[in-house]
């Protein structure tokens, strides 16, 4: 089974899902955000995990969509908190409608995610909800740590990795775990699927950090250097702060971090040059590869036919090599 | 069993519940809001409903708390949307912390409500979650209608009753339904419990509207006349607009509604005088009593010993006669 078959099934489910009728202010933003595209990585992972252990991967599609709806709920609320004007190149919900609608429509969206989860069999339902609850709380915890880091100057590399684990990777892990639970893959396999997901999730976020600085502007889809302009505490900046200590780069990096008025292009160019002299790109790629490789090792340990695991390996390679 | 015994069990459960550890910004607001008091009406209704059909009412306490946590989640987010500075006489979460924390802490709170629901037996769990999902979506729909009504001039009485049914009363209905489901009371009894709850819920909100205009300032706990000052479209204002049409009161009511600068006390006094001349208080009390009586009739139909139903009758009487 190829990635495209799974993706088509997910897209069809999205097209056929009604979240509610009225008032329209509550439900239109949900359909809007769900229609903006994105990789659909989370539902894909869930469905692919089910397919490893069951021929009936179709029964994972609806709960998998629940994870995607949850993910988009977090985007709707995060975009308010970050005052983000754009999401996937289009106006965010709080910009297109208003902040109150983005809060309330997001709330309903979270409820819709729980409703989609009811599509799993009764016998696994409570376990699925408990794991979903834990994961959902962790994602919120990650977002709060991320906001806390913005005003702190002593964030460590470990704290950063833990933040992206919570904010991003546990949901990828849960997607795969959900797929395993639906296929009744057993505890060991389900744990390996979860571990695979959290490892590639951290790799995925580190790739994001790298692309934001070193992406090809033609292919990246967002403004390259956005994180540098905002002094966003990415792995690259934290590592540069650590490695520049006591070196000539230290003062220059602090100058750009503290600059109130600056030419954006100039700052991006200057900070990128500091990163280059400290070998940050290479170090970040090493770190990223460590997590992706750990994930691929989890897959090797997974007791299942190679051809069944192939789509997950293929997707992981796409994530490593992606340019946007 | 008296009301106090149930209330004590609920208060003890609240005192013993940990919602999460860190980051503290996420979990302190939950404990803060849950500690501010309130009538605990929803968990009380759930536990009392279980007690009618089961000696083990204690097993309803944890899921009943889930409804209370959900209710407080809606308060946390509604207070942002309404820009409310105070809740139960204390600073709202977005005032005491900030808006982002109130959004995200509220999100986690909704997840905590779902987690508390997992305390019900496996065999009813999926049904409980489906009903909880439907109810939660309706509560959000009610809040959106309420916000929409603020900028509309053509709100009908039926629309208003439907709005308060969604925003307030379906959650009271669900609380009782939940209690019935936990006690395995059967479909007919569970439906009657739900109907009782939605009827007294509408009565409860109409009482709120009446108290806001006619409450005793010494006992009410909030500013009497707040709704009048804000032109809030309560049942009383909608009925006054309807009944004043073509009469001398029409122009005076419109004058006060359209007044940009006014003395608050003077406006409250003047609008209350218009209400009096249109007999609005009496009409509102009639309407309110219709719903409370309908609820009490539902209870009569409920096939259970009178002494078991007594606490619900007692609570209903307290709600009818309450002064705050």
């Amino acid at each position: 089974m190829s990635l495209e078959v799974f993706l088509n099934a997910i897209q069809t489910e999205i097209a056929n899902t009604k979240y509610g009728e009225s008032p329209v202010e509550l439900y239109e933003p949900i359909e809007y955000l769900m229609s903006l595209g994105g990789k659909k990585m989370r539902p894909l992972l869930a469905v692919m995990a089910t397919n490893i252990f069951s021929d009936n991967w179709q029964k994972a599609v609806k709960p998998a969509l629940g994870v995607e709806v949850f993910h988009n709920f977090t985007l709707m609320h995060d975009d308010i908190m970050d005052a983000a004007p754009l999401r996937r190149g289009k106006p965010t919900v709080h910009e297109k409608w208003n902040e109150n609608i983005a809060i309330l429509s997001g709330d309903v969206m979270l409820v819709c995610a729980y409703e989609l989860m009811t599509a799993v069999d009764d016998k696994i339902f409570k376990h699925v909800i408990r794991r979903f609850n834990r994961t959902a709380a962790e994602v919120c915890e990650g977002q709060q740590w991320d906001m806390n880091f913005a005003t702190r100057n002593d964030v460590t590399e470990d704290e950063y990795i833990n933040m992206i684990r919570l904010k991003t990777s546990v949901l990828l892990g849960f997607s795969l775990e959900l797929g395993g639970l639906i296929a009744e893959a057993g505890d060991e396999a389900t744990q390996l699927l979860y571990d695979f997901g959290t490892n590639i999730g951290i790799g995925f976020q580190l790739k994001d950090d790298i692309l934001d600085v070193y992406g090809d502007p033609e292919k990246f889809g967002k403004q390259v250097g956005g994180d540098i302009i905002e002094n966003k505490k990415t792995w690259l900046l934290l590592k540069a702060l650590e490695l520049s200590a006591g070196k000539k780069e230290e003062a220059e990096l602090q100058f750009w971090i503290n600059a109130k008025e600056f030419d954006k292009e100039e700052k991006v160019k200057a900070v990128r040059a500091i990163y280059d002299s400290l070998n940050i790109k290479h170090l970040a790629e090493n770190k990223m590869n460590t997590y992706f490789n750990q994930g691929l090792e989890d897959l090797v340990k997974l007791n299942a036919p190679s051809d069944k695991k192939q789509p997950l390996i293929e997707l992981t390679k796409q994530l490593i090599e992606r340019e946007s």
Side-chain angles (χ1 to χ4, degrees), chain A residues 150 152-153 227-233 237-238 240-241 244 249-262 267 271 274-275:
Chain A
R152 276 179 51 190
N153 289 315
D227 289 345
I228 291 176
I229 293 164
E230 293 173 31
N231 294 332
K232 177 108 179 119
K233 292 195 183 70
L237 178 54
L238 293 171
L241 286 166
S244 64
E249 286 87 354
E250 187 174 19
E252 208 192 339
L253 189 52
Q254 288 299 338
F255 167 83
W256 283 110
I257 288 172
N258 297 319
K260 296 278 174 249
E261 286 183 24
F262 53 82
K267 176 172 176 178
V271 173
I274 298 168
Y275 286 178

Side-chain angles (χ1 to χ4, degrees), chain A residues 3-17:
Chain A
L3 273 175
E4 282 66 33
V5 176
F6 300 131
L7 190 57
N8 279 338
I10 290 159
Q11 298 285 22
T12 304
E13 189 68 32
I14 291 174
N16 292 334
T17 299

Side-chain angles (χ1 to χ4, degrees), chain A residues 209-259:
Chain A
D209 291 1
I210 296 166
L211 280 175
D212 199 273
V213 178
Y214 292 103
D216 180 341
E218 302 276 303
K219 296 172 183 164
F220 185 49
K222 286 188 286 188
Q223 181 185 28
V224 172
D227 289 345
I228 291 176
I229 293 164
E230 293 173 31
N231 294 332
K232 177 108 179 119
K233 292 195 183 70
T234 66
W235 191 91
L236 286 78
L237 178 54
L238 293 171
K239 188 50 80 176
L241 286 166
E242 180 195 324
L243 296 182
S244 64
K247 290 193 184 165
K248 68 175 168 47
E249 286 87 354
E250 187 174 19
E252 208 192 339
L253 189 52
Q254 288 299 338
F255 167 83
W256 283 110
I257 288 172
N258 297 319

Side-chain angles (χ1 to χ4, degrees), chain A residues 36-51:
Chain A
L36 291 186
K39 301 177 187 68
K40 310 290 180 243
M41 193 165 51
R42 292 153 193 85
L44 267 177
L45 289 170
V47 171
M48 286 191 288
T50 299
N51 182 58

Side-chain angles (χ1 to χ4, degrees), chain A residues 114 117 124-134:
Chain A
Y114 278 99
M117 287 295 159
I124 62 165
F125 183 59
K126 196 186 272 187
H127 182 66
V128 164
I129 291 298
R130 283 197 166 130
R131 290 291 306 128
F132 184 49
N133 288 341
R134 184 71 233 129

Side-chain angles (χ1 to χ4, degrees), chain A residues 136-154:
Chain A
E138 287 177 337
V139 171
C140 294
E141 289 169 9
Q143 167 69 3
Q144 185 64 50
W145 285 123
D146 198 14
M147 293 195 294
N148 289 356
F149 289 176
T151 54
R152 276 179 51 190
N153 289 315
D154 57 352

Side-chain angles (χ1 to χ4, degrees), chain A residues 47 50-51 53-61 179 182-183 308:
Chain A
V47 171
T50 299
N51 182 58
F53 295 97
S54 164
D55 288 337
N56 185 6
W57 57 266
Q58 287 86 349
K59 73 174 174 176
V61 173
I182 290 169
K308 286 286 193 174

